[in-house]
Amino acid sequence: MSFTIHGLPVSQGIAIGHAHLVSRALLEVNHYHVAERHVADEVRRLDDAVAAVRDELGALKLTAASSHAHGEVGAFVDLQLIMLADPLLVDAARTLIQERRCNAEWAMVQQMEHLVAQFEQIEDSYLRERKADVVQVVERVVKSLIGHPGHLPPKRRDGLGTIIVAHDLSPADTIGFRDHNIAGFLTDIGGPTSHTAIVARTLAIPAVVGLHRIRELVEENELIIIDGTLGIVIVDPDEAIVEEYRLRRSELELKRSRLKLLRDTPSSTLDGRAIALLANIEGPGDVTHIRAANADGVGLYRTEFLFMGREDLPGEDEQFEAYRTVLKALAGRPVTIRTFDVGADKMLSMPNQREEPNPALGLRAIRFSLAEPQMFRTQLRALLRASAYGQLRIMIPMVSHVQELDQALTMIALARDELLAERHRIADRVEIGAMIEVPAAALAIGMFKKRVSFLSLGTNDLIQYTLAIDRTDDAVVHLYDPLHPAVLKLISGTIQAGTRLGMSVSVCGEMAGDPNYTRLLLGMGLREFSMHPTNVLEIKQQLLHADYSELAPRVQRILRMEEPARLREAVMRLAN
Ligand code: PEP
Ligand code: MG
């Protein structure tokens, strides 16, 4: 039966494809039935994967034996080995393959969900929390299975992509879509500036979130249309509707290809004010998007994505390669690399992580880095080594206290001395900057003077922390307001104070890539906008038709307005 449902549009565009229901964010596995004649092979595939994980855990135990974390890691590995031998897990999954002809991944995940539900009934909180170990051991087996595919069902012939339908997706899951033919995704929960939504925009995958019960309403394989601009989802549409959306999709593609004509046009306003249009990226894979848009450099490289969705940590050499690749590809254009902003909705999948009572206000960003000095030192060394290959700028996220910045600066200086003593090549000058993401920092810009040479406004967090709105919670999403008078005062105050004190100021939050706010930010005096590479040309088009000298006094009047409705109307008028 066909029906339409509305949610929060988080990533523009139209996608048409078949639903694939995902049971848990991390364990996004294919569900299919194996042919009768392949059942024995599928059971063997499961047994091989289990044996491989057993070996992997054994090796992990040996490595841990020589490290200081011996006791903790040993106990956790033992626990996972016991679970792997428990008939309730692997034997039961084997039966599901034999009796219901489920593929091995699906069988393991079903059994895991059954066990997790049982753990959740347990009163003892210690035992209840052991469900995390079941999940982790199943993840290991699933990873091994994915590396050794079995007899997959035949590929679709209709050329339509897959639409992921999930209760929730983590940013790490979403970044994994890059290499799979994923046309779009839908989730029950989430907000427009959650990192999952941000990654969807970078990958240009249409997405709608905050749909509440989509996971229950849709069936595996059902045809779905997503309008990621309006937040509309049509399930099981008839042929006429599909045709209409195909047409709309072609119109959007035409619009995008027209924008490509602006690729080599210098970005400046009607009255000749040059504006830098920089890209936000999540990894070296995004370099092609930067080239397509001909961005002036990278304004935000979210390095935490290198650390997510894996159980080990990237070492110095691996990080060095990732940073160097981007610096070399940008051939002398500035590349602003943010030290990892782990925490809140970007958790690492490491064992024994502390449970955060309030993740957005806890150990996140620079706070996490300073609490894990070894990890931070490794990153700083990799960054400084990469500095020899381009114009590196290091950016520190979520600074609220000057001591945090001073400690980071000291660690950078120490890493530099170490590397020079080891005869590594390092650029003579690496600019250091700070992100302005909490109101305390925006109200005390003077404390950054002489410490850093640039500031970047992370408006996503600045709005979250100013208005006390969890950016991932769709229940309060209606209160998330970039045009709140308090938010605008903090943004414009930062641009003015930073510029007056000799620091360059950019905006790298989602506001910078939203054409509704281009004239407003320009009129505040902003000269550097950093956004998803896919938005660069649209923002350039806005700037080419804007006149800074005419906008500046109008924006000053808007900043004095206290009545939100009048203020909003005045901002919308700027665009005309
Ligand atoms: C921001 O907060 O605006 C920002 C750019 O950082 P992130 O979205 O990664 O938190
Ligand atoms: Mg932020």
Side-chain angles (χ1 to χ4, degrees), residues 55-67:
D55 291 349
E56 185 185 305
L57 288 169
L60 193 64
K61 204 169 160 182
L62 279 182
T63 327
S66 52
S67 84

Side-chain angles (χ1 to χ4, degrees), residues 230-251:
L230 298 178
I232 297 173
V233 178
I234 309 173
V235 180
D236 193 19
D238 62 33
E239 195 39 50
I241 302 275
V242 174
E243 209 32 60
E244 187 188 323
Y245 273 89
R246 279 211 181 100
L247 215 69
R248 286 195 203 175
R249 192 169 57 183
S250 322
E251 278 162 14

